[in-house]
Amino acid sequence: MAKVDVIIPAFNGARYLPAAIESVLSQTFEDWQIWLVDDGSTDNTEEVVAPFLLRLGSRMKYIKQENQGLPGARNTAIRASAGEFVALLDADDVWLPCRLSESVKALAERPEAGFAYGLITIIDAEGRLGGTFRGNSKFAEGRIAPQIYMRKVELPCPTLTFRRRSIDEVGLFDTTLRTTEDRDLCLRIAFRYEVAFIPEIIAYYRVSSGSMSSDPERMLRGQLAFIRKHYGAEGCGLREPPDLVGTSLQAASGDLEAA
């Protein structure tokens, strides 16, 4: 059993999948196992994965299922795996070599944290570098559930590493949410645990014409569903908690700098 289970959901992602898998192989932290879930792909995902299965043997598991959506695919992998930590990597994103080592280190240094996250640089369909999210130092870590709800902290998906016991406590990804399921899980964990922050760029996040983040209407529907689900929970309402009143939006929002 590996210390870190790498969860890769794939739906018609054959074009980018080799780069994602290779970025796992390049990690300086080597105690990992890949769980790749082919979520009903109709492209040549299976053909692309085959050489990696031969190359990696037991270090890579391939599960093919009927389409259940992104959260459903992730849940399949989490249920099948058993490592101490769960690290997310979508099929079109790329990790930097330090990604896992920095994540495991952050969680070891902060034992009360339920998950860790870091910074990203955006890449386009061709892999060209774009902007870099420098994060929000004021609300980066600790007990930050209200800030997660109010979106005053960004939690880039390819940087998220969960302590498995935190998922065991709060439950898996909500399959009724198709665009904010990662933030939803983070918030549920943040209600019970601290959050650890890695102040380094540890992944590339791909934005292309076919990516979910390029569909603003779909993203908006997802955000509204997330707000409705958690509205009224402690610290989750129309107003900031008393200790945050007076904080400017500029200070609370992440900065986007040129890479």
Side-chain angles (χ1 to χ4, degrees):
M1 183 177 68
K3 190 177 186 70
V4 180
D5 288 315
V6 180
I7 307 302
I8 307 179
F11 174 69
N12 292 342
R15 175 183 177 185
Y16 301 118
L17 195 51
I21 298 173
E22 289 288 355
S23 75
V24 180
L25 274 57
S26 72
Q27 294 300 297
T28 56
F29 180 88
E30 299 181 346
D31 191 5
W32 49 259
Q33 185 175 38
I34 295 174
W35 293 83
L36 194 153
V37 178
D38 183 345
D39 193 39
S41 296
T42 56
D43 62 3
N44 63 329
T45 290
E46 189 169 4
E47 179 182 340
V48 167
V49 170
F52 289 103
L53 292 174
L54 290 174
R55 178 178 169 187
L56 295 175
S58 63
R59 300 194 73 190
M60 182 173 182
K61 303 296 184 182
Y62 177 60
I63 302 172
K64 191 168 185 178
Q65 65 181 28
E66 293 184 5
N67 183 264
Q68 296 181 24
L70 184 58
R74 288 178 179 154
N75 288 347
T76 294
I78 293 171
R79 290 191 189 100
S81 61
E84 182 180 357
F85 301 110
V86 174
L88 301 188
L89 175 62
D90 287 349
D92 57 348
D93 294 331
V94 177
W95 282 352
L96 273 63
C98 65
R99 195 301 199 192
L100 287 183
S101 61
E102 291 297 328
S103 300
V104 171
K105 177 183 175 184
L107 289 168
E109 292 177 346
R110 201 164 191 139
E112 298 304 314
F115 70 90
Y117 74 101
L119 304 179
I120 56 165
T121 290
I122 292 173
I123 57 175
D124 66 10
E126 307 305 321
R128 292 183 290 259
L129 298 181
T132 293
F133 282 101
R134 294 297 180 185
N136 174 21
S137 59
K138 188 174 181 64
F139 305 127
E141 58 187 359
R143 294 286 183 173
I144 57 171
Q147 292 78 27
I148 292 174
Y149 175 77
M150 299 183 77
R151 238 191 142 76
K152 294 194 172 184
V153 56
E154 292 300 323
L155 304 167
C157 185
T159 73
L160 289 172
T161 300
F162 300 98
R163 211 180 289 275
R164 183 176 295 272
R165 74 167 184 262
S166 70
I167 297 178
D168 291 340
E169 287 185 25
V170 307
L172 297 169
F173 287 98
D174 184 344
T175 56
T176 68
L177 299 174
R178 293 303 181 98
T179 61
T180 55
E181 74 290 332
D182 48 353
R183 179 171 292 270
D184 169 73
L185 178 56
C186 288
L187 179 60
R188 286 186 277 129
I189 292 173
F191 283 139
R192 302 189 185 197
Y193 287 85
E194 293 183 2
V195 176
F197 173 60
I198 304 157
E200 297 182 29
I201 300 165
I202 59 174
Y204 293 147
Y205 178 81
R206 195 181 304 274
V207 176
S208 62
S209 59
S211 63
M212 190 179 299
S213 57
S214 66
D215 186 343
E217 290 188 10
R218 183 177 182 183
M219 295 300 291
L220 177 59
R221 289 194 299 270
Q223 293 297 334
L224 290 174
F226 170 83
I227 290 170
R228 293 188 190 103
K229 177 176 179 178
H230 294 290
Y231 181 80
E234 184 177 357
C236 301
L238 294 176
R239 299 181 182 275
E240 294 175 321
D243 60 330
L244 297 179
V245 173
T247 302
S248 70
L249 282 174
Q250 183 176 4
S253 60
D255 295 323
L256 182 63
E257 299 180 358

